[in-house]
Amino acid sequence: MKTKFALIVFCIAAFNACKPSSKYDTIIRNGFIYDGTGNSPIKADIAINADTIAFIGDLSKAHAAKEIDAKGRAVTPGFINMLCWANESLIQDGLSKSDILQGVTTEVMGEGSSMGPWNDSMKVLFKKMQGDIKYDIKWTTLGDYLNYLQQKAIACNVASFIGAGTVRIHEVGFSNRPATPEELQRMTELVREAMREGALGVGSSLIYAPDNYAGTKELIALCKAAGEYGGMYISHIRSEAENIDSAVNELIRISREANVPAEIYHYKMAGINNWNKLQRITQKVEDARAEGLHITANMYTYTAAGTGLNACLPLWVQSGGNDSLFLRLKDPAIRKRVMKEMDTQSTKWENNFLEPGSPDSILLVSFKTDSLKKYQGKSLAEVAKIRNKSPEETVIDLVLQDENSTGAVYFIMSEANKQKELQLPWMSFGSDEGSYSDDSVFFKTSCHPRAYGNFARVIGKYSRDEKLISLQEAIRKLTSQPAQNLKLKKRGMLKVGYYADVLIFNPDNIRDHATFQQPRQYATGIDNVFVNGKQVLDEGKFTSTLPGRFVKGPGYKEK
């Protein structure tokens, strides 16, 4: 009898949970709901209470304090940016306009370096390295930083990996040597602490110093520590060019031996001599997935990469950090050796000076030093001609004069490959850029157009115009897929009980406008954006609401 009574109570409770209430905070009516799973859309209403999706279905008899007529537009989950560099731009201005206007509601940081844990010497160093954006460092751990952003008030959600390079600097410094057993033990403890604070896993950037100085076993140890808390590994792999086979093999080995999922940052075949490797490398990933390993990737939708001008320099000259780098580059004999290596194809390091094919294909986009800002938007070849120096000498001189802070864009990828990559079912998307607003400080430098157009291009250019993927598949890749890979709780889908990160837009209207010549142009077509149930964009206009949160990873332990 008790069992029968309990079953009746359960059925009543289940019925009431599925039954619409008469009153909600917000109702979005008459939309085509794309739930984020890749399923075809359904025409239905969606209700929000507080920060949560409360009901999806027929709400014709319900009412809300705020009601929006979607008028047949798409209603989707908010997009997830798998790789952003809004670390500093959100400190300057939390509106995150360039990404909110593309539908991004969650920003994921931590490619190799993270905003914590920082010791006292690191705080001094990173304070010194600040460019146009100036700020006091009011945190020590990664969790402290993410809580700082939330308390400061931001429009978007934020999450982060802990940087393998950051924990290496914390314990080893910038030396090109293996970590000692004692150092490695302390590094793994830093990873565990970050995971308990809410980090997503370990992120590395093995093409750059000092991340490059870490061996595979060191990375496996860090990933095992993250794996204890359900974390994953994500990496700008050790090579995207001549050594890409071994670099992908290393990531797969780390995944296998650490027993963690792994993702490849900005999946690409860099340099014209490597464009033909796409099918082979993709098959390598497919084989690992067939083995049972959870290997995924993300990408941006442009054929040009963006990174520091120091990517033109061999890694050995950067050992020891900036002070050592500057000292070496002032030595005539070392300068001569560096220039020779810049002109020589090598399998020992990723030579971004040669990969674009010509100095004309390297665009200088940002400088820290005011006297050098006149070169922004010019190619390396143009600047070399203006300064009456060789391109090699110009790189070295600019690295010295700008204190190793120059940003550059490198045209090294194939559009045909991009189109094939974005159709891969295990591919998601990351801008690999900051998220900017109207603050004048952002206009002191240029940037890569992916900051303003990366996600709009997925929907507009590649899904609608070129029909390479369906709209529902594009939305899946932008929402539920990254959320599931990151193990984000109640994010990435339109589902009752999930957090209300919601977009409303007409897919026919999505457009990117940013170009390499004029990158700071907002995308258009996203009409309404909700973050945690609060509206931050109302028919294309920003509200004063800043509801963004620190989204915590699977190992979070409340203190």
Side-chain angles (χ1 to χ4, degrees), residues 361-506:
S361 296
I362 300 175
L363 191 66
L364 305 180
V365 296
S366 64
F367 291 90
K368 174 182 176 180
T369 306
D370 287 341
S371 62
L372 298 175
K373 290 184 185 293
K374 61 189 176 185
Y375 298 134
Q376 286 172 177
K378 291 181 166 53
S379 72
L380 176 60
E382 289 176 305
V383 175
K385 185 176 181 180
I386 291 169
R387 294 166 69 104
N388 197 28
K389 294 281 189 74
S390 71
E392 295 87 346
E393 286 179 293
T394 301
V395 168
I396 293 173
D397 288 345
L398 291 177
V399 167
L400 281 169
Q401 292 167 23
D402 204 33
E403 298 180 327
N404 200 19
S405 297
T406 306
V409 166
Y410 301 83
F411 291 86
I412 55 175
M413 287 167 278
S414 153
E415 175 63 21
N417 278 357
K418 283 288 164 192
Q419 294 184 13
K420 293 173 184 175
E421 289 159 6
L422 69 88
Q423 296 179 72
L424 294 169
W426 34 268
M427 186 66 65
S428 58
F429 299 93
S431 68
D432 199 8
E433 252 286 3
S435 184
Y436 306 109
S437 298
D438 299 328
D439 194 295
S440 60
V441 72
F442 298 133
F443 292 86
K444 292 182 178 181
T445 59
S446 188
C447 66
H448 195 297
R450 62 195 179 194
Y452 289 78
N454 189 63
F455 303 94
R457 286 163 70 86
V458 177
I459 301 295
K461 175 178 172 61
Y462 290 111
S463 176
R464 182 194 62 226
D465 297 344
E466 300 191 7
K467 296 179 172 52
L468 294 177
I469 51 176
S470 67
L471 178 58
Q472 56 261 40
E473 175 65 359
I475 292 167
R476 183 189 72 83
K477 288 169 171 288
L478 289 162
T479 59
S480 69
Q481 175 157 294
Q484 289 167 1
N485 289 343
L486 297 168
K487 299 180 182 176
L488 302 184
K489 295 177 181 178
K490 298 182 180 181
R491 304 275 180 187
M493 288 193 285
L494 296 185
K495 187 175 179 179
V496 173
Y498 273 48
Y499 292 108
D501 297 338
V502 183
L503 313 178
I504 305 172
F505 61 90
N506 182 341

Side-chain angles (χ1 to χ4, degrees), residues 209-369:
D211 291 43
N212 180 267
Y213 306 150
T216 306
K217 290 184 179 180
E218 177 179 310
L219 295 167
I220 290 171
L222 299 182
C223 289
K224 282 183 176 179
E228 294 170 12
Y229 297 87
M232 65 179 289
Y233 176 56
I234 190 166
S235 180
H236 182 143
I237 54 178
R238 212 173 285 271
S239 172
E240 298 169 329
E242 278 70 28
N243 291 337
I244 191 168
D245 286 86
S246 61
V248 173
N249 287 342
E250 180 184 40
L251 177 125
I252 292 170
R253 177 188 167 189
I254 292 169
S255 174
R256 183 185 294 115
E257 295 190 20
N259 193 28
V260 294
E263 177 149 325
I264 300 170
Y265 274 130
H266 30 67
Y267 193 76
K268 69 169 80 72
M269 313 296 125
I272 190 169
N273 294 332
N274 300 297
W275 291 352
N276 62 357
K277 297 178 180 178
L278 176 61
Q279 184 175 350
R280 184 171 79 240
I281 297 303
T282 298
Q283 188 60 54
K284 193 183 292 288
V285 174
E286 297 279 10
D287 290 344
R289 288 171 59 84
E291 177 190 330
L293 300 177
H294 191 79
I295 310 295
T296 52
N298 60 66
M299 63 178 287
Y300 45 80
T301 55
Y302 295 83
T303 56
T307 188
L309 189 61
N310 61 357
C312 293
L313 302 176
L315 292 169
W316 63 264
V317 78
Q318 302 180 56
S319 176
N322 279 349
D323 289 343
S324 299
L325 169 66
F326 301 153
L327 193 63
R328 293 188 187 106
L329 292 182
K330 292 174 183 176
D331 183 316
I334 291 179
R335 285 174 67 100
K336 186 176 180 181
R337 177 185 168 189
V338 168
M339 287 189 286
K340 182 178 180 180
E341 291 191 23
M342 289 171 67
D343 287 326
T344 305
Q345 197 67 52
S346 173
T347 58
K348 294 180 180 179
W349 64 291
E350 203 89 336
N351 189 339
N352 273 27
F353 181 75
L354 289 182
E355 279 176 5
S358 163
D360 293 294
S361 296
I362 300 175
L363 191 66
L364 305 180
V365 296
S366 64
F367 291 90
K368 174 182 176 180
T369 306

Side-chain angles (χ1 to χ4, degrees), residues 168-213:
R168 173 166 255 271
I169 295 169
H170 196 285
E171 296 301 324
V172 182
F174 291 89
S175 298
N176 185 359
R177 64 169 177 82
T180 67
E182 294 76 19
E183 289 168 339
L184 185 55
Q185 183 177 1
R186 292 196 296 270
M187 289 161 66
T188 57
E189 283 304 315
L190 290 172
V191 170
R192 291 185 181 97
E193 179 186 4
M195 293 301 298
R196 290 191 292 268
E197 288 183 316
L200 303 169
V202 172
S204 71
S205 192
L206 303 178
I207 193 174
Y208 305 115
D211 291 43
N212 180 267
Y213 306 150

Side-chain angles (χ1 to χ4, degrees), residues 500-517:
D501 297 338
V502 183
L503 313 178
I504 305 172
F505 61 90
N506 182 341
D508 291 339
N509 294 341
I510 302 293
R511 293 282 187 283
D512 67 289
H513 302 284
T515 65
F516 287 100
Q517 291 72 37

Side-chain angles (χ1 to χ4, degrees), residues 21-25 27 29 59-65 67:
S21 172
S22 60
K23 189 71 174 176
Y24 296 98
D25 292 340
I27 293 177
R29 301 188 185 278
L59 288 166
S60 57
K61 296 182 179 179
H63 303 282
E67 299 197 4

